[in-house]
Amino acid sequence: MLLQQLFATRTHRMKASEIRELLKLLNRPGLLSFAGGIPDPDLFPAAEFSAAFQAALQPDQQAQALQYSVSEGYLPLRRWIKGEMARMGVPCDIDNILITSGSQQALDYLGKLFLSPNDTALVGWPTYLGALAAFNAYEPRYDQLNPGGNRSPDSYQEAAGAVGSLVKFAYLSPDFANPTGETLSLSGRNALLEMAEQLDCAVIEDGAYQALRYEGAAIPPVLALEIAQKGSIEDCRTIYCGSFSKTLSPGLRMGWVVATKPVIAQMVLLKQAADLHSPTLNQMAVHQVAEACFDSHVAGLRQAYGTRRDAMLSALQDFMPDGVSWTRPEGGMFVWLTLPPHIDTAEVLARALDQENIAFVPGQAFFADGQGCNTLRLSFSVLNEAEIRTGIERLGRLLKQG
């Protein structure tokens, strides 16, 4: 008997991540990869982490570092996050914070918490494909989220009701979104909150890139705007997901959720059933490094990544053929290209790997309905300025071939 016959129906919607597959190519000799939205390992605070792990494994700390811990997370780290959220305009209590094994785990828990089969999740067109992967397991239907657009809340309710569905949440990354690099305006954020109130649904705010702003004035998080309107986080429907992956280290898998206490309490139960708690040793190390150098380290990242962004935008201007357009992000790690409608970027990728030894992510994976065949995502975070220019020149040469 093949055990596949016994798999739950939800597994039919689970697909391999195109980005994870492309990351397998990173060791290919000479490859210039714009594919992975990953931090530059040369910029990790490695010395600080080495000292932090050594400190956590000293005799007076090692029993705690290597032992089981509470599901909510390491208290000193949650206190640090409480202070950081306050700086962003989100006053909250320790009990409003849950530590997760990366923000990806938070998305999985939120999908499990809110979605019954056929419930509606509002997402961008395109949106973060990791969010689609996390939500797909819970068998939702998707509808297109466009804050500030012409579509009315009633139309969302009617579309969901027509198939016996409820709108459960709107998911978005308002700052330098993956994959487009775009930022939602202040008016768009307020429009989103107004729409969520009318739909009586949750808002999942993915703040993975929020710290990586290279130009322009910061816009308050959606949760901060809602607290300002309502007076207390306990009256808010926005759930904020933060991450240390893009600032300190992705390998330690440290993220967090900030939300009203009943939501956090339910997520704690999900975590107890899934992995009991995130690794204590990692939490202790992240706390020590965050306390020691978070602001100065992030300032260095902004300088390095901002320069690389500028190099990519300049190269695109110089080498892209007519008919290609792209976003101009104020931060984050990504630029989004739109090609003429007849071009299939999956086919272009095959030629890019074979002829030019460059890689990118075809855009179709970021659309819940499979659109976007003529789009692609470029990341500027890992290559240096000269490599970026060379890679974009190669891409431009390839696209000019048609």
Side-chain angles (χ1 to χ4, degrees), residues 112-188:
K112 184 181 292 186
L113 181 62
F114 285 105
L115 294 172
S116 298
N118 203 44
D119 277 340
T120 294
L122 306 182
V123 299
W125 246 245
T127 193
Y128 171 46
L129 65 83
L132 295 177
F135 302 151
N136 277 343
Y138 306 106
E139 304 174 86
R141 68 175 288 273
Y142 294 108
D143 204 342
Q144 184 172 356
L145 176 64
N146 183 21
N150 294 326
R151 193 166 171 191
S152 70
D154 286 344
S155 72
Y156 285 112
Q157 289 177 327
E158 290 168 3
V163 293
S165 174
L166 295 173
V167 178
K168 289 297 187 68
F169 59 72
Y171 164 81
L172 80 166
S173 183
D175 294 284
F176 330 121
N178 183 357
T180 65
E182 294 177 324
T183 295
L184 184 64
S185 66
L186 178 61
S187 62

Side-chain angles (χ1 to χ4, degrees), residues 53 56-58 61-69 277 279-282 284:
F53 277 108
L57 292 174
Q58 291 300 304
Q61 295 289 318
Q62 63 186 8
Q64 181 180 18
L66 300 176
Q67 186 55 278
Y68 287 116
S69 186
H277 62 87
T280 311
L281 177 61
N282 290 3
M284 293 173 71

Side-chain angles (χ1 to χ4, degrees), residues 316 320 324-326 335-339 374-376 378 395:
L316 288 167
M320 283 300 106
V324 178
S325 61
W326 54 90
V335 176
W336 180 253
L337 270 64
T338 302
L339 311 185
N374 65 320
T375 60
L376 63 90
L378 300 174
L395 178 61

Side-chain angles (χ1 to χ4, degrees), residues 267-332:
M267 293 186 73
V268 168
L269 299 182
L270 295 176
K271 190 161 184 63
Q272 289 172 352
D275 67 355
L276 301 182
H277 62 87
S278 297
T280 311
L281 177 61
N282 290 3
Q283 293 186 66
M284 293 173 71
V286 166
H287 169 251
Q288 180 167 320
V289 174
E291 284 274 14
C293 69
F294 186 83
D295 288 345
S296 60
H297 177 70
V298 170
L301 294 181
R302 292 184 184 126
Q303 177 64 38
Y305 293 149
T307 300
R308 295 173 190 182
R309 179 209 58 172
D310 293 346
M312 178 169 282
L313 293 177
S314 176
L316 288 167
Q317 186 66 45
D318 290 343
F319 298 121
M320 283 300 106
D322 292 341
V324 178
S325 61
W326 54 90
T327 58
R328 290 167 173 79
E330 294 181 330

Side-chain angles (χ1 to χ4, degrees), residues 10 48 57 64 98-99 131 143 147 164 188 192 205 209 303 341 344 355 362 369:
R10 69 180 68 92
E48 289 82 356
L57 292 174
Q64 181 180 18
L98 169 69
I99 303 297
D143 204 342
L192 171 67
E205 178 177 17
Y209 303 93
Q303 177 64 38
D344 185 341
Q355 299 176 27
D369 64 351

